[in-house]
Amino acid sequence: MSAFMADLPKFVLLWTDGAIWLLLGALFAYAVMVLRKPQLASTWGRVFRDAPALASSVVLALCLAVDASASVDFDEFGLMMGGLAAAFREPEIAAATAAGPRGGVAVSLLFWSGVREQAVALDWARLDGDAACRAFAAALDSTPRLFGGGVTALGQGMAAGLGLLARVPAEATRLVLDVSGDGANNRG
């Protein structure tokens, strides 16, 4: 062996080096799959556009869809909103939002009425205990009625609620649409 060869460092390949290269290869293959499947690309795009989604996952995503059509007078509307707010002030509800493996629920509020009358009144909020539930209850209490009447288009209200659930900024184990109202569907 020459003196030149003795001065060269020895090349050693560890099993961990192979594991890292295998992991990088798998990550690259997954990235290619994401780019080729529109549903995966859409989901990851939504996650990277919304910072809270990067850090959150929830047991439940709940869209509260509240009828604001003409069949609901202002007293009934106040009763519905007050009942929702009171529910979120209950200690059992607050404890339930913090329970489970993910320790949180996402909740939003949608008002619906006519065929083209749906509006997000409260965007997605993460509830994970008493303080978050009380803050959401206060927001429910102070949310104004966004429209004061119109026909009752239950189908369009439900479609808007499902659309809102499709855009929840967290990974949710369950998606729930809770629809409240008092009138019969007369449009849509």
Side-chain angles (χ1 to χ4, degrees):
M1 185 186 287
S2 71
F4 176 75
M5 295 290 277
D7 292 341
L8 290 176
K10 286 186 176 182
F11 179 75
V12 178
L13 180 64
L14 300 173
W15 72 269
T16 53
D17 296 331
I20 288 173
W21 283 108
L22 184 63
L23 181 63
L24 288 174
L27 186 61
F28 178 76
Y30 183 72
V32 169
M33 183 176 70
V34 166
L35 292 174
R36 291 185 178 169
K37 295 193 177 197
Q39 182 180 7
L40 281 175
S42 164
T43 300
W44 280 108
R46 192 172 72 226
V47 167
F48 285 116
R49 282 190 304 273
D50 188 12
L54 288 171
S56 67
S57 62
V58 293
V59 174
L60 172 74
L62 172 64
C63 174
L64 301 169
V66 176
D67 183 356
S69 67
S71 66
V72 177
D73 66 30
F74 282 94
D75 289 337
E76 290 172 321
F77 183 79
L79 183 64
M80 285 193 296
M81 296 301 293
L84 289 171
F88 283 101
R89 287 188 181 96
E90 288 293 321
E92 294 84 8
I93 299 295
T97 64
R102 296 180 180 196
V105 300
V107 184
S108 66
L109 175 67
L110 171 81
F111 290 151
W112 60 273
S113 178
V115 175
R116 290 183 183 82
E117 294 175 307
Q118 302 92 33
V120 177
L122 295 175
D123 209 356
W124 291 106
R126 181 182 171 86
L127 306 184
D128 53 7
D130 190 59
C133 285
R134 288 193 176 280
F136 191 75
L140 286 167
D141 278 335
S142 64
T143 300
R145 186 172 184 165
L146 299 179
F147 4 90
V151 298
T152 305
L154 177 60
Q156 279 77 8
M158 291 177 69
L162 293 174
L164 189 56
L165 283 169
R167 296 186 306 274
V168 64
E171 180 185 332
T173 306
R174 288 184 61 206
L175 303 175
V176 175
L177 175 60
D178 178 74
V179 180
S180 61
D182 75 341
N185 183 48
N186 57 26
R187 283 276 163 56

